[in-house]
Structures are given as structure tokens and as C-alpha cells.
């Protein structure tokens, strides 16, 4: 707990080696210092064929707090993440920042939720502790599976299938 708020973790899914540079530059532009990157240990043998074939390299970037408190620190991290994403899109760099926060670290993947700890062995380590764990699985009937779409979101939320609203409204009108 003595490091709470003094460090943040950027969780980066990298399909293009330029992704870490872009993320680091966005953090530095926001006045933050990326301290170190580590490749997250994973067990690729636990994945299905599609997940294995499309898997990114997964990184944790440790970021030093430039002296901000609480919500200001989280806002700065959010804005740096958004700037990195915009720049990556503009430059055609395929990447996904699953989270960038001093409060949460997101572990996610293209797999059944029951396989998450098999894929990320460090989640089985007794030294790995959490005050909260949110677990969500979904079966999508209208999108192809993709690492970037895997649950959970960066913040607690539910994706609700927006494209079904029109159909639901039509069915309700028909029942009136």
C-alpha cells in the first residue's frame, strides 16, 4: 500500500513494435515518466486457435506519478492513454491500451473467463492480491472475437448491444 498512487500501470496489447514508443511518448508529453516495461508472462498453450493466431504481445508499463493527487492523477493517465490511442490510429499502429491507471490493472483476453488464470500464471501466485475482482463473460452474436473487444472494460461497465435497440423498440411497438 505504500506505493498506492505513486505508480501506475499501463496495460498494453501490442501488435506493432511502435506501440510502446507511442505510449511512452504520450505519457512523457503529459509530464509522466515511464519507468520500465515488462512483458507479461502468459501461457499461450491455454488459448484456442483464433486467440493464439491473433494474440498481441502483452506489456505492463510502470509509470511514475509526477506529483499529482487522486483524481487529477487518474485524469492525466486517462488523457495520456487517449492521446496514445489517437496517435496510434493516425499512424496505423495496431495497439490497445487495456488500462492505464494507478488504481486498477486490467487482465483480459480472448478466452473463456474460466481460463484467465491459466493464461496469466501470475494470477495464481499467492503474492497476487486484490481487494476487488470483476468477472464478466459474454457471447456475442454480431461481432467476431477480437482481443480488443474481450471483457472487462477499462472501467466497470456493460457493453449492451446497441445495434439491437432498433429491433427491441420495433418489437415493443408491435406489442402495443
Amino acid at each position: 500500500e505504500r506505493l498506492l498512487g505513486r505508480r501506475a500501470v499501463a496495460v498494453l496489447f501490442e501488435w506493432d513494435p511502435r506501440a510502446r514508443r507511442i505510449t511512452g511518448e504520450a505519457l512523457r508529453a503529459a509530464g509522466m515518466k515511464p519507468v520500465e516495461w515488462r512483458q507479461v508472462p502468459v501461457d499461450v498453450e491455454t488459448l484456442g486457435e483464433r486467440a493464439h493466431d491473433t494474440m498481441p504481445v502483452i506489456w505492463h508499463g510502470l509509470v511514475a506519478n509526477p506529483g499529482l493527487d487522486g483524481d487529477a492523477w487518474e485524469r492525466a493517465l486517462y488523457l495520456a492513454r487517449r492521446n496514445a490511442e489517437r496517435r496510434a490510429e493516425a499512424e496505423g499502429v495496431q495497439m490497445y491500451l487495456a488500462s492505464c491507471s494507478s488504481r486498477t490493472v486490467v487482465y483480459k483476453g480472448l478466452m473463456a473467463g474460466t481460463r484467465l488464470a491459466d493464461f496469466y500464471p501470475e494470477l495464481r501466485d499467492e503474492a497476487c492480491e486484490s481487494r476487488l475482482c470483476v468477472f464478466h463473460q459474454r457471447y456475442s452474436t454480431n461481432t467476431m472475437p477480437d482481443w480488443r473487444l474481450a471483457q472487462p472494460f477499462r472501467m466497470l461497465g456493460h457493453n449492451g448491444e446497441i445495434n439491437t435497440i432498433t429491433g427491441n423498440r420495433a418489437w415493443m411497438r408491435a406489442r402495443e
Side-chain angles (χ1 to χ4, degrees), residues 51-71:
H52 186 274
D53 292 346
T54 61
M55 189 183 111
V57 178
I58 303 171
W59 296 93
H60 282 170
L62 190 62
V63 183
N65 186 334
L68 300 173
D69 290 326
D71 291 340

Side-chain angles (χ1 to χ4, degrees), residues 68-160:
L68 300 173
D69 290 326
D71 291 340
W73 175 217
E74 285 300 306
R75 178 174 167 70
L77 290 161
Y78 167 79
L79 293 173
R81 177 181 63 79
R82 291 296 295 135
N83 287 333
E85 291 169 338
R86 286 185 186 109
R87 182 168 167 205
E89 185 176 355
E91 294 181 20
V93 174
Q94 188 178 7
M95 62 176 254
Y96 177 71
L97 277 160
S99 63
C100 187
S101 175
S102 66
R103 297 175 179 162
T104 60
V105 177
V106 171
Y107 286 87
K108 66 190 280 180
L110 188 57
M111 66 204 64
T114 56
R115 304 301 304 262
L116 196 66
D118 296 331
F119 180 67
Y120 291 107
E122 63 193 20
L123 293 178
R124 295 188 312 265
D125 188 323
E126 289 184 18
C128 181
E129 293 183 15
S130 176
R131 292 183 177 156
L132 173 71
C133 177
V134 177
F135 182 93
H136 178 72
Q137 288 186 173
R138 88 185 244 276
Y139 174 76
S140 177
T141 58
N142 64 351
T143 58
M144 287 297 293
D146 186 284
W147 281 87
R148 292 164 294 178
L149 299 177
Q151 299 290 345
F153 289 120
R154 294 176 187 95
M155 301 293 286
L156 185 60
H158 191 276
N159 64 333

